[in-house]
Amino acid sequence: MSKVISEQVKKAESLIAGLRKHPEIMGKVGVNEQTLAALESESKLLGAQNEELEQLEAKRSEVSRAANGKLVAIRTQFQTLKRTVKLNTDPAKWAQVGILDKK
C-alpha cells in the first residue's frame, strides 16, 4: 500500500509544481493558490502518514518474528515434556496433567 501512497504523493507534488510554474493555466482552469496549498498540505500529511505506516509495519514484522521464534521454542518444550510424561506415566493419569491423547 505504501507504494501506491508514495506514487500518489509524487503525482500531486508534480501537478502542484507544474501549475505553479504556469499560472496562466491555473487561471484558465479555475484553480487558485488556496486550492494548490490545500492539496500540498494534504499531500504532505499523507506522506507523513505513509512514513508512520511503514515504521509500524517494520515494528510489526519485528514483533511477529520474535513471537514466531517464541512459538517454536514453546512447541519444542511442550513436545519434550509431553513425551517425557507419556513415557513415564500410566496413560490413565495423562489427563490429570493436561495430556488428552489416547495413545
Side-chain angles (χ1 to χ4, degrees), residues 38-92:
L39 178 59
E40 185 175 38
S41 173
E42 291 296 316
S43 178
K44 286 181 181 181
L45 177 60
L46 181 59
Q49 289 173 334
N50 188 45
E51 283 295 317
E52 184 179 358
L53 284 172
E54 288 177 357
Q55 290 172 1
L56 289 171
E57 178 62 26
K59 179 69 175 170
R60 188 204 61 79
S61 292
E62 180 184 315
V63 171
S64 180
R65 277 191 300 277
N68 286 336
K70 187 62 72 178
L71 175 62
V72 169
I74 288 173
R75 278 186 177 164
T76 302
Q77 284 181 313
F78 172 80
Q79 290 297 334
T80 301
L81 285 171
K82 181 178 166 182
R83 189 175 307 116
T84 303
V85 169
K86 286 176 80 172
L87 291 174
N88 297 305
T89 308
D90 179 36

Side-chain angles (χ1 to χ4, degrees), residues 85-86 88-102:
V85 169
K86 286 176 80 172
N88 297 305
T89 308
D90 179 36
K93 296 187 181 201
W94 291 353
Q96 293 174 356
V97 293
I99 299 174
L100 303 177
D101 298 358
K102 302 287 182 188

Side-chain angles (χ1 to χ4, degrees), residues 14-26 33 36:
S14 177
L15 177 64
I16 292 165
L19 286 172
R20 284 193 173 139
K21 285 181 184 177
H22 301 283
E24 71 280 359
I25 295 175
M26 284 176 52
E33 184 58 37
L36 289 182

